[in-house]
Amino acid sequence: MPDFTFKDGSGKELRLASLKGKPVLINLWATWCGPCVAELPTLQQLGADRKDQLQVVVISQDMGKPEAVAQFLKDRGITQLGGWLDPDNQLADHYKVETLPTTVYYDAAGREQWRWVGGRDWGSADTAKLLNLK
């Protein structure tokens, strides 16, 4: 897992490398991306339903005012995922992302297992199988 640190609109920090110990699903998204916005509620639900088995982290690739991303999430009822920001697109560059949303799954040891490019219903039975969740 890359050792990048991100902040939310209030300045709180999240260091990705600190997430080891439990599988992590990292979702790169943007406010202007329709499929990204459409899947946010299912990512939030997945994170809530599987909080003991999985960490779900969404990181905005918006290059604007950080408070705008936080308000965007709040207006849509996305309150459990955090408004993490990547205004310099470190992750998009690291992963060589060309399409949003892009989601990357890491095992508990921090090893990348797979990537999903494009929107997805993260609450589906297929997703549970993909994540090896019971």
Side-chain angles (χ1 to χ4, degrees):
M1 184 176 308
D3 192 12
F4 295 131
T5 300
F6 302 99
K7 292 183 180 182
D8 66 9
S10 69
K12 182 179 171 185
E13 290 189 349
L14 170 69
R15 184 173 172 221
L16 290 184
S18 74
L19 299 176
K20 290 180 185 174
K22 194 186 316 185
V24 181
L25 192 70
I26 298 175
N27 176 268
L28 281 67
W29 72 285
T31 58
W32 47 263
C33 167
C36 300
V37 174
E39 73 179 2
L40 284 171
T42 65
L43 283 163
Q44 178 167 262
Q45 193 63 52
L46 175 65
D49 291 348
R50 306 295 186 154
K51 65 183 172 193
D52 294 334
Q53 299 171 282
L54 177 70
Q55 300 171 87
V56 177
V57 178
V58 297
I59 301 177
S60 171
Q61 301 300 291
D62 286 280
M63 299 171 155
K65 298 179 182 177
E67 64 276 5
V69 173
Q71 189 62 50
F72 182 90
L73 292 170
K74 183 178 177 186
D75 290 348
R76 284 155 183 79
I78 307 300
T79 58
Q80 304 300 312
L81 296 177
W84 304 111
L85 306 166
D86 183 12
D88 298 325
N89 291 318
Q90 293 178 86
L91 278 180
D93 289 343
H94 175 79
Y95 295 134
K96 298 180 179 25
V97 169
E98 294 181 9
T99 303
L100 293 176
T102 292
T103 306
V104 183
Y105 179 65
Y106 290 92
D107 65 15
R111 293 180 303 249
E112 182 177 331
Q113 298 300 300
W114 50 258
R115 296 180 189 191
W116 187 271
V117 177
R120 182 174 183 85
D121 175 358
W122 293 99
S124 70
D126 286 345
T127 294
K129 287 179 187 175
L130 189 62
L131 294 168
N132 292 322
L133 299 174
K134 297 175 177 136

